[in-house]
Amino acid sequence: EHALQLLADWAPDVIVLDAMMPGLDGFATCRRLRAMPGFEHMPVLMLTGLNDTESIERAYEAGATDFITKPIQWALLTHRVRYGLRAAQAAEAMRHSRESLARAQRMAHMGNWSFSSSDRQMACSEELARIFGAPVEALQCASPEAFLARVREPDRERVGSARSRVARDGHPYQLVFPIERFDGVVRTVFEQAEPVRDQHGRLIGVEGITQDITERVVAHERLEYL
């Protein structure tokens, strides 16, 4: 409990935590630690003399990153700590990269999406949902058909055909077309999609970007009018 209080003003690089301790044991301590802001991804190495599957499962369920059994082999402990630090640094770099990509997408009003040939479930970025004015729950059950339904009727067949060709034959496309957002507002988007292939050249899915270019189109029409 005293260590948890110290962590309010101090953030170490890694925490080595004993499973069996008087008072608050290691499992409860790890759960409390994971609930603290800023410690969600802290590497935690748990030491335990309970060399059984149940204790290992409890350690991972409590939020431990890794575990090592007693009696401690100090060379192995050193390598586990180093591995935990490298993994944490790699995960932090990945989170930073995702956050940078999300910021860039917000600034460019551009979202990305993808789906596999075997599973028609669509993965899409938060910015894509914002472009379409989609509710948060739409991200969990997105599908190519659901987003195609937001394309205005005169262009829906053209866009649907282009998406079918890239998914079936691997033909990339670039299109500009209007959409009707979930809130009824009409916007103009630019969309580009390309096939995704595995190491054997087999078509396994599609990746694309959709960008809101409404302001650009309006400005161009104004210039044409002037």
Side-chain angles (χ1 to χ4, degrees), residues 35 54 56-57 72 91 96 120 133-134 158 161 166 187 199 208 213:
E54 182 181 353
I56 294 171
E57 290 294 334
I72 297 171
H96 179 73
R120 296 292 289 178
R158 177 171 63 97
S161 297
V166 69
R187 306 289 287 181
Q199 63 269 30
I213 60 170

Side-chain angles (χ1 to χ4, degrees), residues 101-102 104-112 125-128 131 190 208-212 216:
L101 176 61
Q105 289 190 351
R106 284 196 300 272
M107 289 186 286
H109 302 291
M110 178 190 298
N112 66 287
S125 66
E126 292 185 6
E127 185 59 27
L128 184 71
I131 290 172
F190 164 78
I209 59 98
T210 304
Q211 183 179 22
D212 187 340
R216 190 189 312 171

Side-chain angles (χ1 to χ4, degrees), residues 139-150:
L139 290 174
Q140 308 302 321
C141 56
S143 67
E145 293 77 17
F147 278 87
L148 181 61
R150 310 315 306 178

Side-chain angles (χ1 to χ4, degrees), residues 25-65:
D25 67 18
F27 305 109
T29 301
C30 193
R31 283 191 291 269
R32 291 258 298 267
L33 177 72
R34 290 302 187 210
M36 296 170 60
F39 289 89
E40 300 88 346
H41 308 292
M42 173 73 63
V44 176
L45 176 63
M46 188 170 288
L47 311 178
T48 176
L50 306 174
N51 190 13
D52 61 87
T53 305
E54 182 181 353
S55 298
I56 294 171
E57 290 294 334
R58 284 186 65 195
Y60 283 125
E61 289 172 2
T65 310

